[in-house]
Structures are given as C-alpha cells and as structure tokens.
Amino acid sequence: SGINEMSTGSAEASQDGIGPVGWAGIGAVSWSHDGTDGARSLEVGPFGAWISEPILVQPGTIYGVMADVKGSRGNVIIEQLGPTGVILNALTRAMSVVNVSSFTTLDDAVPVAPGVGYVRIRLESGFLGATTFDDIRLWKQ
C-alpha cells in the first residue's frame, strides 16, 4: 500500500491547467511542459520552493520518497509535522542533485519519527540556477 502527494501519484495533475493541485509556490516557481514523460513538471528558480500540502503518515513507519530531478543543487526535503502542523525534528533532507543536465531519478527511505502525524514535501532550488522536478512520490515501505 502507499500514499502519494496527490491522488495520481504525480505532480502532473492540475485542476485549472495553471498550477499543480496541493502545492504552494515560494519565490521564482513555474509549472512547465518539461516532464520526463513529456507532460508537465514543477520548476524552481534560485532559492525558490514548491511545498506540498500535509500528507497523513503513520508515526514510526519508514516511507520511500522519489522524484525525477534536473538542475543545479536541487533538493527534495521531507518536513515532519506534528498533529497540529508544527514542524518537528527540523528538516529531514531526503536527497539532492548537483549539475545534472537530464532528468535523474532520486529515491531514499525516510523514517517517520514518533509523534509525527504528517509530512510535507519541499522541492528547493539552490543558488546556481533553476531545478525541475517531476513525478514526485511518497509511499509506505
């Protein structure tokens, strides 16, 4: 069984054709046609970020996280939240990519700490340029 940040398991769905459902953009972000499968993807400019809505998880469980990433110093970070939405245990960096010219699939296992009720996925770019993220998934191991 698994859960995804969206019902489709991908960041390519959109209700209005403009922005991805369930994600909030910070800074220089865009919704582009540059996915690994020719569909849409999330693009983040320097120091920008896309942040998912909270995703319900089971405390003490290990989750897998995966994303297709292209760009410079792009990071996929898992924020662990308490039942009231307060960030716990600081940020757990799941994975990063540096200077990749084509999409690379990154995946990692993230142990959810006791007391955590939700996680959020944060897609961040560094200072060297834009990063593109596609097909972001989170599932129970």
Side-chain angles (χ1 to χ4, degrees):
S1 65
I3 62 170
N4 303 300
E5 88 289 354
M6 294 170 50
S7 58
T8 60
S10 171
E12 292 172 358
S14 174
Q15 290 178 332
D16 56 14
I18 299 173
V21 178
W23 291 83
I26 297 175
V29 296
S30 61
W31 181 231
S32 64
H33 293 272
D34 191 26
T36 52
D37 53 8
R40 293 190 172 203
S41 60
L42 302 173
E43 187 171 301
V44 182
F47 296 117
W50 280 105
I51 303 175
S52 77
E53 61 190 4
I55 303 163
L56 182 67
V57 292
Q58 294 178 358
T61 303
I62 296 176
Y63 285 79
V65 62
M66 185 190 81
D68 294 332
V69 184
K70 177 174 71 173
S72 299
R73 297 204 184 278
N75 297 304
V76 179
I77 297 171
I78 305 301
E79 295 179 337
Q80 301 195 27
L81 311 175
T84 61
V86 176
I87 295 178
L88 303 174
N89 309 316
L91 298 181
T92 302
R93 184 169 305 242
M95 47 195 159
S96 64
V97 63
V98 180
N99 296 328
V100 173
S101 59
S102 59
F103 278 103
T104 299
T105 300
L106 300 177
D107 60 270
D108 200 359
V110 178
V112 175
V116 170
Y118 300 88
V119 299
R120 276 192 309 222
I121 301 174
R122 177 185 291 267
L123 308 173
E124 291 186 346
S125 186
F127 59 89
L128 295 179
T131 303
T132 303
F133 299 89
D134 188 55
D135 291 329
I136 305 100
R137 293 182 172 90
L138 179 78
W139 71 94
K140 187 167 60 176
Q141 295 281 69

